[in-house]
């Protein structure tokens, strides 16, 4: 993907790296950490985020091979400007045992099936619902924000064994969730030599 980087972003990253040493992170982890920190202007994310480089590499391949990207809210979709996303919140209905966000996740799974990248930055109940499905995701970016259920839903994601990007604290939100996906989207695809 050829992307023109604005001089303000270049300067922002220069200042970020002057204040935070990210050189010890492997490439995709570094890309995610830096883009999340950049999106929130919050250096604490460097110690708060949890991810695995091998899982990120597989997700990077899936993303660049055309795997669907599902988001929990339109605010996350708005932050992902170079890729079509699926958001079913507009079609979802709350019920006595199901929040509207959780119903939207069910609808999205019915639409895309297994193998998608899921980007959840708003509702802990969306992440909780995803964990009940047999979604076999390429990656779950689980960064919902809030004081009720956010920490617990992210802990459940890490305990699930699914490939994931999460964080330990209450922090999160649409901007950082879309930033984590964009880090993988903008990261170069390695060129491979075909053997005859």
């Amino acid at each position: 993907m050829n992307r023109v980087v604005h001089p303000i972003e270049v300067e922002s990253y220069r200042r970020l790296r002057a204040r935070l040493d990210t050189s010890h992170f492997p490439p995709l982890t570094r890309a995610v950490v830096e883009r999340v920190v950049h999106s929130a202007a919050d250096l604490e994310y460097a110690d708060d985020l949890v991810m695995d480089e091998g899982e990120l590499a597989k997700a990077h391949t899936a993303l660049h091979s055309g795997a669907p990207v599902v988001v929990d809210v339109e605010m996350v979709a708005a932050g992902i400007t170079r890729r079509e996303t699926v958001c079913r919140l507009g079609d979802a209905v709350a019920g006595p045992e199901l929040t509207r966000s959780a119903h939207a996740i069910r609808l999205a799974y019915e639409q895309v099936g297994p193998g998608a990248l899921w980007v959840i930055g708003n509702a802990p109940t969306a992440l909780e619902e995803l964990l009940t499905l047999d979604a076999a995701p390429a990656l779950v970016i689980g960064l919902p924000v809030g004081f009720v259920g956010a920490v617990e839903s992210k802990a459940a994601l890490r305990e699930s064994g699914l490939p994931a990007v999460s964080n330990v604290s209450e922090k999160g939100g649409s901007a950082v969730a879309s930033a984590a996906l964009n880090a993988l989207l903008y990261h170069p695809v390695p060129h491979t030599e075909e053997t005859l």
Side-chain angles (χ1 to χ4, degrees):
M1 158 178 286
N2 292 329
R3 187 173 83 89
V4 177
V5 180
H6 193 279
I8 292 172
E9 184 177 338
V10 172
E11 176 61 13
S12 183
Y13 269 78
R14 186 194 68 74
R15 292 183 188 192
L16 181 160
R17 290 173 181 146
R19 294 177 59 187
L20 177 67
D21 180 10
T22 60
S23 63
H24 62 285
F25 289 118
L28 289 167
T29 301
R30 180 181 184 186
V32 172
V33 168
E34 287 184 348
R35 192 146 294 276
V36 167
V37 167
H38 175 260
S39 73
D42 186 344
L43 301 175
E44 291 179 2
Y45 272 110
D47 296 319
D48 192 37
L49 289 164
V50 179
M51 66 199 95
D52 176 82
E53 183 73 8
E55 292 175 352
L56 292 179
K58 291 176 185 174
H60 183 262
T61 298
L63 179 64
H64 289 277
S65 298
V69 175
V70 181
V71 300
D72 64 332
V73 292
E74 291 293 343
M75 286 293 289
V76 174
I80 302 169
T81 57
R82 298 188 178 266
R83 185 65 184 272
E84 291 295 319
T85 61
V86 173
C87 181
R88 297 296 302 274
L89 192 61
D91 304 316
V93 180
E97 298 294 321
L98 195 68
T99 66
R100 188 167 162 240
S101 295
H103 186 225
I105 294 300
R106 283 189 192 178
L107 294 173
Y109 177 65
E110 290 170 7
Q111 180 178 337
V112 303
L117 287 89
W118 295 80
V119 188
I120 297 174
N122 184 61
T125 58
L127 182 52
E128 291 164 2
E129 182 63 24
L130 179 59
L131 295 178
T132 69
L133 302 174
D134 189 22
L139 184 71
V140 178
I141 296 174
L143 295 168
V145 62
F147 294 112
V148 178
V151 168
E152 295 83 359
S153 66
K154 291 180 276 193
L157 172 60
R158 289 189 299 277
E159 290 165 10
S160 74
L162 294 175
V165 173
S166 69
N167 68 311
V168 176
S169 73
E170 295 93 348
K171 295 190 294 189
S174 298
V176 296
S178 60
L181 189 280
N182 285 337
L184 298 177
L185 196 56
Y186 300 160
H187 197 80
V189 176
H191 295 288
T192 56
E193 302 257 338
E194 289 187 11
T195 56
L196 298 176

